[in-house]
Amino acid sequence: MLGKRDSKKDDESGGLNPFRNLEKATVLQETRTFNETPINAKKCCLILTKILYMINQGEHLAPTEATQAFFAMTKLFQSKDVMLRRMLYLCIKEMANIANDVIIVTSSLTKDMTGKEDMYRGPAIRALCRITDNTMLQSIERYMKQAIVDKSPSVSSAALVSSLHLMKQGPEVIKRWVNEVSEAVNSDNVMVQYHALGLLYQIKKNDKLAITKLVSKFSKSSLRSPFAYCFLIRVSARQLEEEKDGFDKTLFDFIESCLRHKSEMVIYEAASAIVSLRCTTSKELVSAIGVLQLLCSSPKPSLRYAAVKTLNKISISHPAAVTACNIDLENLITDQNRSIATLAITTLLKTGNESGVDRLMKQIATFMSEISDEFKIVVVEAIQSLCSKFPRKHNVMMTFLATMLREDGGFEYKKAIVNTIVVIIEENPEAREIGLSHLCEFIEDCEFLPLATRILHLLGREGPRTTTPAKYIRYIYNRVILESAEVRAAAVSALAKFGASSDDLLPSILVLLNRSKLDEDDEVRDRATFFYDVLSQNDKALSSAYILNTLNVSPVGLERALLQYNQHVTEKPFDIKVVPIVEVELQKPSNETVLPSAVKTTEKPAASRQDLYTEQLSAIAEFAHLGPLFKSSTPVDLTEPETEYSVKCIKHTFTNYIVFQFDCLNTLNDQLLEDVVIKMDTADGYEIISYKPCIKLAYNTPGISYTLVKIPDDPSQVVATFGCNMKFKVKDCDPNTGEPDNEEGYEDEYALENVEINVSDHVQKVLKPNFGASWEEVGDANELEDTYALSMPSLEEAIKNIIQFMGLQPCERSERAPEGKNSHVLLLAGVYRGGHDVLVRAKLAYNEGDVAMQLTIRSSDSIVPQVIAQAVG
């Protein structure tokens, strides 16, 4: 016993931590005890435990300190005490990456590994493999082969698991052990069989044909281990997901046959795999759903939880199939395990009909106070999907969410509720005012600053669009008076948006902003002063540009541009157009309910994908003169899957140039490619300036080749198609070492798919929160209006194609066509290459398979409307 609990309270709380006040210096001083003779095994075990505790608590040990302690530990090999020896193995594993010269214990570990004491052999193998690097791997190869086929299950499992870790260092050496591993798969021990199958898969995972044979072989044989069956099911499911040419009936039949296995673990794994497959049809789901339905009635809580969680996951994608389990799910509502009850109700909410919503909401309200925040979040997410399914029930949902907001709860829980209310407001205009009212009441007593600032931002965006915007002013100005500086600044910005949107409210807003100019915080004062001066001008264009529609620039790119500007003495003012425009990223709602992790991660601002490309291209001397990067496209495959070479193209658009980045991958292990370049056929008007080859393309190592192309001077020439051909020098090489057989090689080439340049490559999406203000700001000086007849089966299809052709960003949620209506107005915004704003208003009318479109385009440049119109015409 390391400590003694003297009170009943200690028993209930799990006891006091005997290591809570450890000091690193004291523990390291105690390691001198290891040098005493005779060795006090009990005392040394306690010291080793303290070292392990410090390391696992994140205590930093300097290499010198760790090495001194490690060398002192080596003296403990003289003791024959079993517990001390096993503790010593643990410490060696933990300090392998901290201390220097750890290979000094190799001979001692090898001796224990090949000895007769099974209690030493397994742990010794694990410790030895932890300190072994690629250069030493061959020296222990013979011992590892023997251990893999050892009669002792603990020794064999230790060798197999250690080999899995060694695959990262020396895969080529481990692959030579395939015969021993295959023999271990036939072991009678369930864990040995499972570990051997896992290692065999890792050895062959890069060979799809070998994996197919592996699955086929063991699916027909009778494996003893249920763990091995579960692993084989997962491998089969992965193979089915990766199938490009069709559905492999043999693999699916194997998974389906596992539904009749004697092990409940295997039965559930098979059912879970079937319902998770993207290619599964409703007919093929029947058997798996039936198994999950039976598991819902299991006496084991773990099986009931697993079954209802899986049903919850697929309730959105296959609601009709899950409906068959509704009676069993109804019975689980009263389950003693509240986690199971919560998942059952949320599943019913997703699959049930509109008439049953009120009853389920009343049932779940009875035990909301008894479940943890994690499962309350699951309920909130179910309500969000329910509102999308039954928009007429938004009053019931909003009332329920408002009640949850007033209850106690942590940040993640309240954040989930606020996010759900925001989504409901955005998707259902009828719910806007009631949702904003609930959020206004919440911020009156909100303790979480990020949520308060987000709600204020939402009020500034949505509040002016309501029928009575003045009623929200009081809630916002209360934050200016009562809250912290961060919230006060957000409130000032929200007030300014009300003033910019409403002429009636402007005088009152100016009075409130004038008061905020005396705020004690610099940020609040600066915002109030700035917004007051802009609004005082009473200029709609000015208010639109600086209040209603914010700058759509990359913060990282803005910082880089300002640093470059300050490095040179110049009288030329800073041009905001040199800053890359931030790419609009839309969050797609997930259909799966994900249980939140107990570990909270701190979100850190990171460079965007375009910022990384900017840094990458600016480091290349040939591209230094191209100016700021305007846009980078998503990667496009130029080769078919499963071919010997893989090539993807990314188009980087600059003001006057386009850089084609070709990401190349060589999948042949017996070839080394050199001087890889993608030759492009010249398109009309486009001029190929230079090629930058990939000097060396080794097996399975990515390489990049670039082609620089000049955009035509004629602004109307934007669309083009380039033929591509990959040319390179081939050197045959040794598949094991990668070294070429000779230095000469031979020239070769490989045909690729064509690369197309579209209008969307010249346009960057920009979100305009207030499209009407931006429309007036641009004006009608450069306006183009035309009428088109589109052959489209529906309004939704027409909207989708127009957005795709033009490459612009939908604004004010206009990409969603109203249900039951034959007319719609689509609003699009963006920036054309060169920094020219472009706005599009498309009035659509559907009539029996045809869509009539009246297109109006405005821009700050006269040529841009003509170019954008070409995308449709």
Side-chain angles (χ1 to χ4, degrees), residues 303-320:
L303 285 175
R304 296 200 304 274
Y305 176 80
V308 74
K309 182 182 177 184
T310 306
L311 290 172
N312 185 285
K313 185 172 73 171
I314 62 168
S315 56
I316 292 293
S317 55
H318 300 284

Side-chain angles (χ1 to χ4, degrees), residues 33-312:
T33 306
F34 300 158
N35 297 318
E36 295 178 357
T37 305
I39 295 174
N40 186 333
K42 186 176 181 180
K43 188 175 181 181
C44 291
C45 274
L46 180 59
I47 297 170
L48 291 176
T49 306
K50 292 178 180 179
I51 294 173
L52 287 172
Y53 177 82
M54 287 196 308
I55 293 174
N56 282 280
Q57 289 296 310
E59 185 71 48
H60 174 70
L61 292 180
T64 305
E65 297 171 333
T67 304
Q68 289 176 352
F70 186 85
F71 272 81
M73 286 179 203
T74 59
K75 304 291 181 62
L76 300 180
F77 275 103
Q78 300 171 13
S79 173
K80 301 297 181 182
D81 186 86
V82 176
M83 291 302 297
L84 178 59
R85 184 65 62 89
R86 292 176 68 111
M87 285 295 297
L88 181 57
Y89 294 141
L90 286 175
C91 279
I92 290 172
K93 286 173 60 180
E94 291 296 328
M95 299 186 72
N97 296 325
I98 307 173
N100 299 324
D101 301 324
V102 291
I103 59 173
I104 195 172
V105 295
T106 301
S107 58
S108 299
L109 291 173
T110 305
K111 181 180 177 183
D112 287 351
M113 171 184 172
T114 56
K116 296 181 179 180
E117 183 59 63
D118 285 347
M119 292 191 71
Y120 291 168
R121 294 175 66 199
I125 290 171
R126 293 189 180 93
L128 180 61
C129 291
R130 193 65 174 268
I131 67 171
T132 300
D133 57 19
N134 198 22
T135 57
M136 296 172 52
L137 190 53
Q138 293 186 5
S139 63
I140 64 169
E141 183 176 3
R142 179 166 60 92
Y143 303 121
M144 290 297 293
K145 284 183 176 181
Q146 293 172 354
I148 287 172
V149 294
D150 196 273
K151 293 181 180 179
S152 172
S154 62
V155 175
S156 182
S157 272
L160 289 165
V161 174
S162 298
S163 300
L164 273 169
H165 293 299
L166 290 173
M167 278 288 292
K168 301 173 184 176
Q169 300 179 22
E172 298 303 325
V173 177
I174 308 299
K175 286 178 181 178
R176 298 203 293 261
W177 306 350
V178 66
N179 292 333
E180 288 76 15
V181 177
S182 300
E183 184 180 340
V185 176
N186 300 320
S187 171
D188 293 337
N189 185 273
V190 294
M191 293 308 296
V192 172
Q193 191 175 62
Y194 168 55
H195 291 148
L197 186 61
L199 179 56
L200 197 59
Y201 171 76
Q202 289 295 324
I203 290 173
K204 299 183 177 183
K205 70 177 182 180
N206 291 326
D207 186 348
K208 290 197 173 183
L209 181 60
I211 292 297
T212 304
K213 291 180 179 178
L214 176 76
V215 174
S216 177
K217 174 184 175 181
F218 290 108
S219 62
K220 294 175 183 176
S221 63
S222 181
L223 295 169
R224 292 176 178 270
S225 170
F227 303 106
Y229 263 110
C230 290
F231 182 78
L232 206 58
I233 289 169
R234 294 186 181 186
V235 173
S236 301
R238 191 178 295 115
Q239 288 288 101
L240 286 172
E241 288 290 325
E242 293 175 355
E243 284 290 335
K244 302 291 184 183
D245 302 325
F247 190 76
D248 192 331
K249 194 73 169 61
T250 307
L251 291 176
F252 185 82
D253 289 343
F254 162 68
I255 298 176
E256 194 171 37
S257 69
C258 292
L259 293 173
R260 297 176 288 278
H261 197 272
K262 60 183 178 181
S263 170
E264 292 172 330
M265 179 197 309
V266 177
I267 293 172
Y268 169 72
E269 188 66 41
S272 178
I274 290 173
V275 299
S276 300
L277 288 172
R278 291 194 301 269
C279 52
T280 310
T281 62
S282 299
K283 184 179 178 181
E284 292 163 339
L285 277 176
V286 173
S287 56
I289 296 292
V291 167
L292 293 172
Q293 188 174 3
L294 290 174
L295 293 178
C296 285
S297 306
S298 171
K300 298 179 180 178
S302 58
L303 285 175
R304 296 200 304 274
Y305 176 80
V308 74
K309 182 182 177 184
T310 306
L311 290 172
N312 185 285

Side-chain angles (χ1 to χ4, degrees), residues 494-521:
L495 287 173
K497 290 181 179 179
F498 276 84
S501 303
S502 173
D503 292 335
D504 295 336
L505 294 175
L506 180 58
S508 301
I509 296 298
L510 287 173
V511 172
L512 298 178
L513 290 176
N514 194 41
R515 294 177 184 173
S516 299
K517 288 162 69 174
L518 302 175
D519 195 278
E520 60 184 16
D521 184 76

Side-chain angles (χ1 to χ4, degrees), residues 273-428:
I274 290 173
V275 299
S276 300
L277 288 172
R278 291 194 301 269
C279 52
T280 310
T281 62
S282 299
K283 184 179 178 181
E284 292 163 339
L285 277 176
V286 173
S287 56
I289 296 292
V291 167
L292 293 172
Q293 188 174 3
L294 290 174
L295 293 178
C296 285
S297 306
S298 171
K300 298 179 180 178
S302 58
L303 285 175
R304 296 200 304 274
Y305 176 80
V308 74
K309 182 182 177 184
T310 306
L311 290 172
N312 185 285
K313 185 172 73 171
I314 62 168
S315 56
I316 292 293
S317 55
H318 300 284
V322 179
T323 304
C325 306
N326 278 4
I327 296 176
D328 301 272
L329 293 170
E330 292 270 7
N331 295 332
L332 290 178
I333 292 176
T334 56
D335 196 283
Q336 292 181 347
N337 188 313
R338 289 311 188 191
S339 301
I340 296 174
T342 304
L343 287 170
I345 285 190
T346 53
T347 306
L348 287 169
L349 286 173
K350 294 176 183 178
T351 59
N353 52 37
E354 192 168 358
S355 60
V357 170
D358 293 339
R359 177 178 57 84
L360 290 172
M361 298 301 291
K362 288 179 181 177
Q363 283 182 299
I364 202 169
T366 58
F367 61 82
M368 279 297 291
S369 59
E370 300 176 28
I371 60 177
S372 64
D373 279 4
E374 284 79 9
F375 283 97
K376 287 179 182 177
I377 293 173
V378 175
V379 175
V380 172
E381 290 173 348
I383 292 173
Q384 179 178 327
S385 63
L386 197 66
C387 281
S388 301
K389 189 176 180 182
F390 306 121
R392 288 185 296 181
K393 285 289 181 182
H394 70 266
N395 280 327
V396 178
M397 302 299 158
M398 282 291 193
T399 304
F400 186 80
L401 290 171
T403 304
M404 295 170 74
L405 266 181
R406 288 191 290 270
E407 296 173 354
D408 293 336
F411 172 71
E412 292 297 331
Y413 170 47
K414 294 298 178 74
K415 178 184 175 183
I417 299 174
V418 171
N419 288 345
T420 300
I421 293 177
V422 171
V423 169
I424 295 172
I425 290 173
E426 291 178 345
E427 292 185 348
N428 190 350

